[in-house]
Amino acid sequence: MPKRPTRKRTPEEIRREKETLYAELGSGLLTLGQATRRMRKIVGMTQTEYAEKILKIYPRVLMEIERDRGNPTLETLEKIARPFGLKVGFVAKASHLPGTEGGEG
């Protein structure tokens, strides 16, 4: 499949994309697959490039994770998180936060 030409984004646009990613991660709005795909898109790489050059995992593993079908190891999750300065952990879904419907508080 040929690569679609993309317009070069400014550092400010990339910064805003990262801020949006971090906010949505913190709110529990993204699945692991959605977040992983978003990270890859922010750096502007194909699945193969990102998997092999950045994450050092097989492209097929990345493809499955992005489809929310993978069962990644903790080591793989840490590899996905590291380029964005993230750590693997637990985040409450928005519906379970204190002060929200269904949450304690």
Side-chain angles (χ1 to χ4, degrees), residues 4 10-13 15 19 22 24 42-43 47 49 52 55-57 66 72 76 80 82 84-86 88 96 100 102:
R4 285 182 277 164
T10 67
E12 178 61 24
E13 289 171 318
R15 186 189 61 74
E19 286 177 358
Y22 297 145
E24 290 178 356
I42 287 171
V43 297
Q47 284 179 328
E49 291 170 334
E52 293 177 350
L55 305 180
K56 309 290 189 219
I57 62 174
E66 286 190 5
T76 299
I80 291 168
R82 192 172 299 125
F84 280 76
L86 300 170
V88 176
H96 295 291
T100 62

Side-chain angles (χ1 to χ4, degrees), residues 3-88:
K3 247 178 133 173
R4 285 182 277 164
T6 56
R7 167 182 80 74
K8 185 149 175 83
R9 293 168 299 151
T10 67
E12 178 61 24
E13 289 171 318
I14 293 169
R15 186 189 61 74
R16 279 196 309 265
E17 288 176 30
K18 284 183 178 181
E19 286 177 358
T20 300
L21 170 71
Y22 297 145
E24 290 178 356
L25 282 170
S27 299
L29 297 175
L30 299 175
T31 65
L32 174 63
Q34 291 168 332
T36 303
R37 180 177 172 89
R38 182 93 57 91
M39 288 180 215
R40 177 176 61 80
K41 294 287 190 175
I42 287 171
V43 297
M45 295 181 136
T46 66
Q47 284 179 328
T48 300
E49 291 170 334
Y50 196 60
E52 293 177 350
K53 295 178 182 176
I54 304 299
L55 305 180
K56 309 290 189 219
I57 62 174
Y58 291 108
R60 183 75 184 170
V61 172
L62 178 60
M63 183 186 312
E64 291 298 313
I65 292 168
E66 286 190 5
R67 291 180 177 170
D68 286 316
R69 294 186 187 159
N71 188 16
T73 64
L74 179 58
E75 180 182 0
T76 299
L77 291 172
E78 289 171 343
K79 287 179 180 181
I80 291 168
R82 192 172 299 125
F84 280 76
L86 300 170
K87 295 203 181 270
V88 176

